[in-house]
Amino acid sequence: MNFAKGSFEKEGKLTTYEYQVIQEHCFIGTELFKDDPACQRVVAALHSHHERYDGTGYPTQLKANEIPVFAQALGIVECYLAMTTFRSYREPLTVEEACEQIRLMAGTVYDERVVCAFSRSIQMPLPVTVSNVPPMVG
């Protein structure tokens, strides 16, 4: 696997070893912030963002309410970005297609309430003007 190219750029199915390496990113992220008491919610989210509501996720097979809400939110965002970004093995999904896929994961991968919150937020219209923001430089 060419890690410089990015682990998700490989064509074809990951080997067992490659999948284990991918799973390590949950631990690598927690190492960055583990010593900062102010970041403990971030550490828990980074560690658990691939847990599944039905208990079949990784790294510790947490289930339902054992999974921090912040971790589920991070997992949904990562999933959405993965689906809507070009990969060497497929074209990106549209926003509508990605949202529908995430809606289908409600109750198995993610808590239904977190999926509803994500759906509301992704469809939120942006303000036409923003006040009190300095103009961009450059």
Side-chain angles (χ1 to χ4, degrees), residues 9 79-99 101:
E9 294 299 316
C79 180
Y80 173 81
L81 292 173
M83 288 191 279
T84 58
T85 303
F86 175 81
R87 302 290 189 215
S88 63
Y89 50 88
R90 63 148 178 82
E91 293 293 317
L93 298 180
T94 66
V95 169
E96 294 79 15
E97 291 168 332
C99 287
Q101 290 298 311

Side-chain angles (χ1 to χ4, degrees), residues 22-40:
I22 296 300
Q23 290 181 352
E24 289 296 313
H25 85 276
C26 294
F27 298 107
I28 294 168
T30 61
E31 287 296 313
L32 296 173
F33 300 103
K34 72 177 183 176
D35 296 327
D36 188 342
C39 294
Q40 292 314 297

Side-chain angles (χ1 to χ4, degrees), residues 43-68:
V43 169
L46 290 170
H47 182 266
S48 302
H49 74 281
H50 280 288
E51 297 292 355
R52 290 176 51 119
Y53 197 72
D54 63 6
T56 62
Y58 65 87
T60 54
Q61 291 77 48
L62 297 177
K63 186 176 187 177
N65 295 332
E66 297 171 341
I67 308 166

